[in-house]
Amino acid sequence: MNRVDRLVAIILLLQSKRQITAEAIAQYFEVSVRTIYRDVTALGEAGVPVIAEAGRGYSLMQGYHLPPVMFSQQEAMAIATASVLVQGITDPSVVASMQSAVLKIQAVLPQQQLESLEKLELVHYQNRWHLLSWCKMRNDFRDFRLDRVTGYTLTEQGYEYRDHQSISDCIQSWIANEPKQSVQVAFSRWALDRAEREWSFGIRKLSEQADTVTVELTTGELEWLANWLLSFGTSVRVIDSPSLQAILVQRAQELATHHAP
């Protein structure tokens, strides 16, 4: 850490403590106590109201706050990544608070760092990390799920940089051109709670009974939807799609054959 960054970090540290000794600051930044003495003197010369009490340590004058500090690209990316990862593993109220915090961070970021965050939101969705890149075989952008990558080989071949906006346009065209169909499904109430957490394309409630709720799901691939619905067992029932029902029956028969003694 260079000295300028350390001086700013010392102010932040002082803001977070009522009082702290030079020895504790030195240990925190892994520098000598003498270096901290020089840093605190420099802060005072720059107009930062640092109060020194013999035998007790340093503190900031009450009411002093450092103006908003610009996040580094690494810090902004780290916070945004945490926001993405926390969405599927914590309470919705925490997710909302994290999203609010990220919006405040984005409000003070320069354009270049905003573009980096946008790239991150391209690459994580449906609880999976994706690699969106140019495929030489197909001469077009393709979406590669990282959890399905089994290996890689380093080569001497170079690549031509392509603006990420082109990738955004490509994704939008995939979404727009993907054939979609809606199906009605009845979930038990406890199963619906899980479905609403997992189904990222949205669920529209149609009607409610004592023990079940009928909803509308929109999908571009019945096979994928069928595999997901199978995980709910008998807590779900397809109402209006013979094609989806047939796929479910076929999958269930395959599972029964596979697991038969």
Side-chain angles (χ1 to χ4, degrees), residues 167-195:
I167 301 179
S168 301
D169 294 340
C170 185
I171 293 176
Q172 292 303 319
S173 69
W174 291 344
I175 295 174
N177 296 327
E178 183 182 44
K180 298 180 179 65
Q181 52 187 311
S182 297
V183 298
Q184 294 183 17
V185 179
F187 285 97
S188 68
R189 289 190 176 275
W190 75 265
L192 179 63
D193 179 69
R194 175 194 150 194

PDB file of all heavy atoms in Angstrom, residues 167-195:
ATOM      1  N   ILE A 167     -21.941  -8.014 -26.577  1.00  0.00           N
ATOM      2  CA  ILE A 167     -22.424  -9.188 -25.863  1.00  0.00           C
ATOM      3  C   ILE A 167     -23.811  -8.924 -25.302  1.00  0.00           C
ATOM      4  O   ILE A 167     -24.697  -9.776 -25.366  1.00  0.00           O
ATOM      5  CB  ILE A 167     -21.438  -9.571 -24.737  1.00  0.00           C
ATOM      6  CG1 ILE A 167     -20.059  -9.859 -25.321  1.00  0.00           C
ATOM      7  CG2 ILE A 167     -21.952 -10.777 -23.966  1.00  0.00           C
ATOM      8  CD1 ILE A 167     -19.017 -10.230 -24.280  1.00  0.00           C
ATOM      9  N   SER A 168     -24.020  -7.727 -24.734  1.00  0.00           N
ATOM     10  CA  SER A 168     -25.335  -7.368 -24.206  1.00  0.00           C
ATOM     11  C   SER A 168     -26.397  -7.455 -25.293  1.00  0.00           C
ATOM     12  O   SER A 168     -27.488  -7.983 -25.084  1.00  0.00           O
ATOM     13  CB  SER A 168     -25.301  -5.959 -23.616  1.00  0.00           C
ATOM     14  OG  SER A 168     -24.366  -5.852 -22.577  1.00  0.00           O
ATOM     15  N   ASP A 169     -26.075  -6.908 -26.462  1.00  0.00           N
ATOM     16  CA  ASP A 169     -27.017  -6.957 -27.576  1.00  0.00           C
ATOM     17  C   ASP A 169     -27.316  -8.397 -27.970  1.00  0.00           C
ATOM     18  O   ASP A 169     -28.460  -8.744 -28.300  1.00  0.00           O
ATOM     19  CB  ASP A 169     -26.455  -6.193 -28.779  1.00  0.00           C
ATOM     20  CG  ASP A 169     -26.328  -4.696 -28.500  1.00  0.00           C
ATOM     21  OD1 ASP A 169     -27.004  -4.217 -27.573  1.00  0.00           O
ATOM     22  OD2 ASP A 169     -25.550  -4.037 -29.201  1.00  0.00           O
ATOM     23  N   CYS A 170     -26.272  -9.220 -27.929  1.00  0.00           N
ATOM     24  CA  CYS A 170     -26.438 -10.619 -28.309  1.00  0.00           C
ATOM     25  C   CYS A 170     -27.369 -11.340 -27.335  1.00  0.00           C
ATOM     26  O   CYS A 170     -28.262 -12.089 -27.741  1.00  0.00           O
ATOM     27  CB  CYS A 170     -25.070 -11.305 -28.337  1.00  0.00           C
ATOM     28  SG  CYS A 170     -25.114 -13.011 -28.945  1.00  0.00           S
ATOM     29  N   ILE A 171     -27.187 -11.101 -26.053  1.00  0.00           N
ATOM     30  CA  ILE A 171     -28.034 -11.733 -25.046  1.00  0.00           C
ATOM     31  C   ILE A 171     -29.485 -11.312 -25.224  1.00  0.00           C
ATOM     32  O   ILE A 171     -30.414 -12.126 -25.149  1.00  0.00           O
ATOM     33  CB  ILE A 171     -27.539 -11.380 -23.626  1.00  0.00           C
ATOM     34  CG1 ILE A 171     -26.171 -12.017 -23.379  1.00  0.00           C
ATOM     35  CG2 ILE A 171     -28.537 -11.850 -22.578  1.00  0.00           C
ATOM     36  CD1 ILE A 171     -25.564 -11.641 -22.052  1.00  0.00           C
ATOM     37  N   GLN A 172     -29.692 -10.011 -25.469  1.00  0.00           N
ATOM     38  CA  GLN A 172     -31.055  -9.526 -25.670  1.00  0.00           C
ATOM     39  C   GLN A 172     -31.695 -10.181 -26.887  1.00  0.00           C
ATOM     40  O   GLN A 172     -32.894 -10.488 -26.878  1.00  0.00           O
ATOM     41  CB  GLN A 172     -31.054  -8.001 -25.821  1.00  0.00           C
ATOM     42  CG  GLN A 172     -30.671  -7.252 -24.556  1.00  0.00           C
ATOM     43  CD  GLN A 172     -31.554  -7.586 -23.384  1.00  0.00           C
ATOM     44  OE1 GLN A 172     -32.776  -7.708 -23.532  1.00  0.00           O
ATOM     45  NE2 GLN A 172     -30.956  -7.764 -22.217  1.00  0.00           N
ATOM     46  N   SER A 173     -30.901 -10.405 -27.929  1.00  0.00           N
ATOM     47  CA  SER A 173     -31.452 -11.054 -29.119  1.00  0.00           C
ATOM     48  C   SER A 173     -31.787 -12.516 -28.838  1.00  0.00           C
ATOM     49  O   SER A 173     -32.787 -13.042 -29.335  1.00  0.00           O
ATOM     50  CB  SER A 173     -30.465 -10.963 -30.284  1.00  0.00           C
ATOM     51  OG  SER A 173     -29.315 -11.760 -30.048  1.00  0.00           O
ATOM     52  N   TRP A 174     -30.946 -13.187 -28.006  1.00  0.00           N
ATOM     53  CA  TRP A 174     -31.262 -14.565 -27.618  1.00  0.00           C
ATOM     54  C   TRP A 174     -32.603 -14.624 -26.889  1.00  0.00           C
ATOM     55  O   TRP A 174     -33.440 -15.467 -27.163  1.00  0.00           O
ATOM     56  CB  TRP A 174     -30.171 -15.121 -26.696  1.00  0.00           C
ATOM     57  CG  TRP A 174     -28.855 -15.367 -27.354  1.00  0.00           C
ATOM     58  CD1 TRP A 174     -28.586 -15.446 -28.688  1.00  0.00           C
ATOM     59  CD2 TRP A 174     -27.597 -15.556 -26.696  1.00  0.00           C
ATOM     60  NE1 TRP A 174     -27.242 -15.669 -28.900  1.00  0.00           N
ATOM     61  CE2 TRP A 174     -26.610 -15.750 -27.695  1.00  0.00           C
ATOM     62  CE3 TRP A 174     -27.209 -15.576 -25.356  1.00  0.00           C
ATOM     63  CZ2 TRP A 174     -25.268 -15.966 -27.392  1.00  0.00           C
ATOM     64  CZ3 TRP A 174     -25.867 -15.798 -25.053  1.00  0.00           C
ATOM     65  CH2 TRP A 174     -24.905 -15.993 -26.058  1.00  0.00           C
ATOM     66  N   ILE A 175     -32.778 -13.675 -25.938  1.00  0.00           N
ATOM     67  CA  ILE A 175     -34.003 -13.663 -25.147  1.00  0.00           C
ATOM     68  C   ILE A 175     -35.216 -13.375 -26.029  1.00  0.00           C
ATOM     69  O   ILE A 175     -36.269 -14.000 -25.914  1.00  0.00           O
ATOM     70  CB  ILE A 175     -33.899 -12.622 -24.017  1.00  0.00           C
ATOM     71  CG1 ILE A 175     -32.802 -13.031 -23.034  1.00  0.00           C
ATOM     72  CG2 ILE A 175     -35.232 -12.467 -23.301  1.00  0.00           C
ATOM     73  CD1 ILE A 175     -32.530 -12.000 -21.966  1.00  0.00           C
ATOM     74  N   ALA A 176     -35.046 -12.395 -26.941  1.00  0.00           N
ATOM     75  CA  ALA A 176     -36.162 -11.989 -27.795  1.00  0.00           C
ATOM     76  C   ALA A 176     -36.563 -13.084 -28.775  1.00  0.00           C
ATOM     77  O   ALA A 176     -37.750 -13.266 -29.080  1.00  0.00           O
ATOM     78  CB  ALA A 176     -35.792 -10.710 -28.545  1.00  0.00           C
ATOM     79  N   ASN A 177     -35.569 -13.817 -29.287  1.00  0.00           N
ATOM     80  CA  ASN A 177     -35.838 -14.813 -30.323  1.00  0.00           C
ATOM     81  C   ASN A 177     -36.144 -16.198 -29.768  1.00  0.00           C
ATOM     82  O   ASN A 177     -36.533 -17.091 -30.517  1.00  0.00           O
ATOM     83  CB  ASN A 177     -34.644 -14.911 -31.279  1.00  0.00           C
ATOM     84  CG  ASN A 177     -34.419 -13.618 -32.038  1.00  0.00           C
ATOM     85  OD1 ASN A 177     -35.367 -12.906 -32.358  1.00  0.00           O
ATOM     86  ND2 ASN A 177     -33.163 -13.297 -32.327  1.00  0.00           N
ATOM     87  N   GLU A 178     -35.935 -16.395 -28.473  1.00  0.00           N
ATOM     88  CA  GLU A 178     -36.189 -17.707 -27.897  1.00  0.00           C
ATOM     89  C   GLU A 178     -37.684 -17.986 -27.861  1.00  0.00           C
ATOM     90  O   GLU A 178     -38.463 -17.187 -27.335  1.00  0.00           O
ATOM     91  CB  GLU A 178     -35.625 -17.785 -26.479  1.00  0.00           C
ATOM     92  CG  GLU A 178     -35.799 -19.157 -25.843  1.00  0.00           C
ATOM     93  CD  GLU A 178     -35.263 -19.176 -24.425  1.00  0.00           C
ATOM     94  OE1 GLU A 178     -35.542 -18.205 -23.688  1.00  0.00           O
ATOM     95  OE2 GLU A 178     -34.568 -20.137 -24.065  1.00  0.00           O
ATOM     96  N   PRO A 179     -38.123 -19.129 -28.422  1.00  0.00           N
ATOM     97  CA  PRO A 179     -39.548 -19.452 -28.371  1.00  0.00           C
ATOM     98  C   PRO A 179     -39.984 -19.674 -26.922  1.00  0.00           C
ATOM     99  O   PRO A 179     -39.316 -20.362 -26.152  1.00  0.00           O
ATOM    100  CB  PRO A 179     -39.654 -20.750 -29.195  1.00  0.00           C
ATOM    101  CG  PRO A 179     -38.266 -21.337 -29.150  1.00  0.00           C
ATOM    102  CD  PRO A 179     -37.335 -20.168 -29.098  1.00  0.00           C
ATOM    103  N   LYS A 180     -41.100 -19.068 -26.547  1.00  0.00           N
ATOM    104  CA  LYS A 180     -41.577 -19.171 -25.172  1.00  0.00           C
ATOM    105  C   LYS A 180     -43.000 -19.704 -25.165  1.00  0.00           C
ATOM    106  O   LYS A 180     -43.779 -19.464 -26.086  1.00  0.00           O
ATOM    107  CB  LYS A 180     -41.529 -17.808 -24.471  1.00  0.00           C
ATOM    108  CG  LYS A 180     -40.129 -17.225 -24.343  1.00  0.00           C
ATOM    109  CD  LYS A 180     -40.170 -15.873 -23.637  1.00  0.00           C
ATOM    110  CE  LYS A 180     -38.789 -15.269 -23.478  1.00  0.00           C
ATOM    111  NZ  LYS A 180     -38.175 -14.937 -24.762  1.00  0.00           N
ATOM    112  N   GLN A 181     -43.313 -20.410 -24.102  1.00  0.00           N
ATOM    113  CA  GLN A 181     -44.683 -20.860 -23.913  1.00  0.00           C
ATOM    114  C   GLN A 181     -45.006 -20.842 -22.435  1.00  0.00           C
ATOM    115  O   GLN A 181     -44.131 -21.004 -21.587  1.00  0.00           O
ATOM    116  CB  GLN A 181     -44.887 -22.259 -24.492  1.00  0.00           C
ATOM    117  CG  GLN A 181     -43.888 -23.290 -24.029  1.00  0.00           C
ATOM    118  CD  GLN A 181     -44.074 -24.598 -24.788  1.00  0.00           C
ATOM    119  OE1 GLN A 181     -45.188 -25.103 -24.896  1.00  0.00           O
ATOM    120  NE2 GLN A 181     -42.994 -25.122 -25.320  1.00  0.00           N
ATOM    121  N   SER A 182     -46.258 -20.622 -22.147  1.00  0.00           N
ATOM    122  CA  SER A 182     -46.695 -20.549 -20.761  1.00  0.00           C
ATOM    123  C   SER A 182     -47.461 -21.811 -20.401  1.00  0.00           C
ATOM    124  O   SER A 182     -48.240 -22.341 -21.213  1.00  0.00           O
ATOM    125  CB  SER A 182     -47.589 -19.322 -20.550  1.00  0.00           C
ATOM    126  OG  SER A 182     -46.857 -18.138 -20.791  1.00  0.00           O
ATOM    127  N   VAL A 183     -47.259 -22.289 -19.197  1.00  0.00           N
ATOM    128  CA  VAL A 183     -47.971 -23.473 -18.706  1.00  0.00           C
ATOM    129  C   VAL A 183     -48.527 -23.157 -17.328  1.00  0.00           C
ATOM    130  O   VAL A 183     -47.974 -22.340 -16.583  1.00  0.00           O
ATOM    131  CB  VAL A 183     -47.048 -24.707 -18.636  1.00  0.00           C
ATOM    132  CG1 VAL A 183     -46.532 -25.069 -20.022  1.00  0.00           C
ATOM    133  CG2 VAL A 183     -45.874 -24.453 -17.690  1.00  0.00           C
ATOM    134  N   GLN A 184     -49.617 -23.815 -17.004  1.00  0.00           N
ATOM    135  CA  GLN A 184     -50.215 -23.658 -15.682  1.00  0.00           C
ATOM    136  C   GLN A 184     -49.855 -24.856 -14.818  1.00  0.00           C
ATOM    137  O   GLN A 184     -49.966 -26.013 -15.252  1.00  0.00           O
ATOM    138  CB  GLN A 184     -51.739 -23.530 -15.787  1.00  0.00           C
ATOM    139  CG  GLN A 184     -52.195 -22.263 -16.502  1.00  0.00           C
ATOM    140  CD  GLN A 184     -53.696 -22.111 -16.522  1.00  0.00           C
ATOM    141  OE1 GLN A 184     -54.416 -22.769 -15.759  1.00  0.00           O
ATOM    142  NE2 GLN A 184     -54.196 -21.242 -17.387  1.00  0.00           N
ATOM    143  N   VAL A 185     -49.406 -24.542 -13.609  1.00  0.00           N
ATOM    144  CA  VAL A 185     -48.937 -25.576 -12.687  1.00  0.00           C
ATOM    145  C   VAL A 185     -49.522 -25.297 -11.314  1.00  0.00           C
ATOM    146  O   VAL A 185     -49.577 -24.148 -10.871  1.00  0.00           O
ATOM    147  CB  VAL A 185     -47.394 -25.585 -12.607  1.00  0.00           C
ATOM    148  CG1 VAL A 185     -46.915 -26.656 -11.635  1.00  0.00           C
ATOM    149  CG2 VAL A 185     -46.789 -25.814 -13.985  1.00  0.00           C
ATOM    150  N   ALA A 186     -49.967 -26.353 -10.621  1.00  0.00           N
ATOM    151  CA  ALA A 186     -50.477 -26.227  -9.259  1.00  0.00           C
ATOM    152  C   ALA A 186     -49.407 -26.709  -8.285  1.00  0.00           C
ATOM    153  O   ALA A 186     -48.940 -27.853  -8.374  1.00  0.00           O
ATOM    154  CB  ALA A 186     -51.758 -27.032  -9.094  1.00  0.00           C
ATOM    155  N   PHE A 187     -48.991 -25.843  -7.389  1.00  0.00           N
ATOM    156  CA  PHE A 187     -48.012 -26.171  -6.355  1.00  0.00           C
ATOM    157  C   PHE A 187     -48.706 -26.270  -5.004  1.00  0.00           C
ATOM    158  O   PHE A 187     -49.678 -25.545  -4.732  1.00  0.00           O
ATOM    159  CB  PHE A 187     -46.943 -25.071  -6.239  1.00  0.00           C
ATOM    160  CG  PHE A 187     -45.927 -25.067  -7.336  1.00  0.00           C
ATOM    161  CD1 PHE A 187     -46.069 -24.210  -8.415  1.00  0.00           C
ATOM    162  CD2 PHE A 187     -44.815 -25.888  -7.277  1.00  0.00           C
ATOM    163  CE1 PHE A 187     -45.121 -24.172  -9.421  1.00  0.00           C
ATOM    164  CE2 PHE A 187     -43.863 -25.862  -8.289  1.00  0.00           C
ATOM    165  CZ  PHE A 187     -44.013 -25.011  -9.362  1.00  0.00           C
ATOM    166  N   SER A 188     -48.209 -27.150  -4.144  1.00  0.00           N
ATOM    167  CA  SER A 188     -48.608 -27.061  -2.746  1.00  0.00           C
ATOM    168  C   SER A 188     -48.021 -25.768  -2.193  1.00  0.00           C
ATOM    169  O   SER A 188     -47.080 -25.221  -2.760  1.00  0.00           O
ATOM    170  CB  SER A 188     -48.084 -28.258  -1.951  1.00  0.00           C
ATOM    171  OG  SER A 188     -46.668 -28.205  -1.861  1.00  0.00           O
ATOM    172  N   ARG A 189     -48.566 -25.268  -1.097  1.00  0.00           N
ATOM    173  CA  ARG A 189     -48.134 -23.966  -0.601  1.00  0.00           C
ATOM    174  C   ARG A 189     -46.671 -23.962  -0.182  1.00  0.00           C
ATOM    175  O   ARG A 189     -45.952 -22.999  -0.421  1.00  0.00           O
ATOM    176  CB  ARG A 189     -49.036 -23.521   0.554  1.00  0.00           C
ATOM    177  CG  ARG A 189     -50.433 -23.140   0.070  1.00  0.00           C
ATOM    178  CD  ARG A 189     -51.253 -22.478   1.149  1.00  0.00           C
ATOM    179  NE  ARG A 189     -52.547 -22.039   0.633  1.00  0.00           N
ATOM    180  CZ  ARG A 189     -52.747 -20.890   0.024  1.00  0.00           C
ATOM    181  NH1 ARG A 189     -51.753 -20.028  -0.120  1.00  0.00           N
ATOM    182  NH2 ARG A 189     -53.940 -20.563  -0.427  1.00  0.00           N
ATOM    183  N   TRP A 190     -46.213 -25.045   0.444  1.00  0.00           N
ATOM    184  CA  TRP A 190     -44.804 -25.059   0.855  1.00  0.00           C
ATOM    185  C   TRP A 190     -43.888 -25.166  -0.354  1.00  0.00           C
ATOM    186  O   TRP A 190     -42.794 -24.594  -0.377  1.00  0.00           O
ATOM    187  CB  TRP A 190     -44.535 -26.199   1.839  1.00  0.00           C
ATOM    188  CG  TRP A 190     -44.470 -27.572   1.219  1.00  0.00           C
ATOM    189  CD1 TRP A 190     -45.459 -28.487   1.106  1.00  0.00           C
ATOM    190  CD2 TRP A 190     -43.322 -28.160   0.583  1.00  0.00           C
ATOM    191  NE1 TRP A 190     -45.031 -29.617   0.445  1.00  0.00           N
ATOM    192  CE2 TRP A 190     -43.709 -29.446   0.125  1.00  0.00           C
ATOM    193  CE3 TRP A 190     -42.013 -27.749   0.362  1.00  0.00           C
ATOM    194  CZ2 TRP A 190     -42.839 -30.306  -0.527  1.00  0.00           C
ATOM    195  CZ3 TRP A 190     -41.138 -28.612  -0.300  1.00  0.00           C
ATOM    196  CH2 TRP A 190     -41.546 -29.871  -0.736  1.00  0.00           C
ATOM    197  N   ALA A 191     -44.335 -25.890  -1.402  1.00  0.00           N
ATOM    198  CA  ALA A 191     -43.520 -26.027  -2.609  1.00  0.00           C
ATOM    199  C   ALA A 191     -43.451 -24.718  -3.369  1.00  0.00           C
ATOM    200  O   ALA A 191     -42.436 -24.381  -3.982  1.00  0.00           O
ATOM    201  CB  ALA A 191     -44.071 -27.135  -3.500  1.00  0.00           C
ATOM    202  N   LEU A 192     -44.547 -23.932  -3.333  1.00  0.00           N
ATOM    203  CA  LEU A 192     -44.554 -22.656  -4.043  1.00  0.00           C
ATOM    204  C   LEU A 192     -43.517 -21.703  -3.451  1.00  0.00           C
ATOM    205  O   LEU A 192     -42.882 -20.938  -4.180  1.00  0.00           O
ATOM    206  CB  LEU A 192     -45.947 -22.025  -3.977  1.00  0.00           C
ATOM    207  CG  LEU A 192     -46.080 -20.659  -4.663  1.00  0.00           C
ATOM    208  CD1 LEU A 192     -45.817 -20.784  -6.158  1.00  0.00           C
ATOM    209  CD2 LEU A 192     -47.458 -20.059  -4.417  1.00  0.00           C
ATOM    210  N   ASP A 193     -43.352 -21.739  -2.137  1.00  0.00           N
ATOM    211  CA  ASP A 193     -42.349 -20.879  -1.497  1.00  0.00           C
ATOM    212  C   ASP A 193     -40.970 -21.157  -2.071  1.00  0.00           C
ATOM    213  O   ASP A 193     -40.213 -20.234  -2.392  1.00  0.00           O
ATOM    214  CB  ASP A 193     -42.353 -21.121   0.013  1.00  0.00           C
ATOM    215  CG  ASP A 193     -41.313 -20.279   0.722  1.00  0.00           C
ATOM    216  OD1 ASP A 193     -41.476 -19.053   0.775  1.00  0.00           O
ATOM    217  OD2 ASP A 193     -40.317 -20.857   1.214  1.00  0.00           O
ATOM    218  N   ARG A 194     -40.638 -22.428  -2.244  1.00  0.00           N
ATOM    219  CA  ARG A 194     -39.343 -22.785  -2.845  1.00  0.00           C
ATOM    220  C   ARG A 194     -39.297 -22.396  -4.317  1.00  0.00           C
ATOM    221  O   ARG A 194     -38.296 -21.872  -4.805  1.00  0.00           O
ATOM    222  CB  ARG A 194     -39.102 -24.288  -2.693  1.00  0.00           C
ATOM    223  CG  ARG A 194     -37.842 -24.767  -3.395  1.00  0.00           C
ATOM    224  CD  ARG A 194     -37.790 -26.269  -3.531  1.00  0.00           C
ATOM    225  NE  ARG A 194     -37.058 -26.650  -4.717  1.00  0.00           N
ATOM    226  CZ  ARG A 194     -37.071 -27.869  -5.251  1.00  0.00           C
ATOM    227  NH1 ARG A 194     -37.801 -28.832  -4.698  1.00  0.00           N
ATOM    228  NH2 ARG A 194     -36.380 -28.130  -6.341  1.00  0.00           N
ATOM    229  N   ALA A 195     -40.403 -22.618  -5.035  1.00  0.00           N
ATOM    230  CA  ALA A 195     -40.439 -22.302  -6.471  1.00  0.00           C
ATOM    231  C   ALA A 195     -40.209 -20.820  -6.716  1.00  0.00           C
ATOM    232  O   ALA A 195     -39.494 -20.428  -7.647  1.00  0.00           O
ATOM    233  CB  ALA A 195     -41.768 -22.741  -7.062  1.00  0.00           C
TER     234      ALA A 195
END
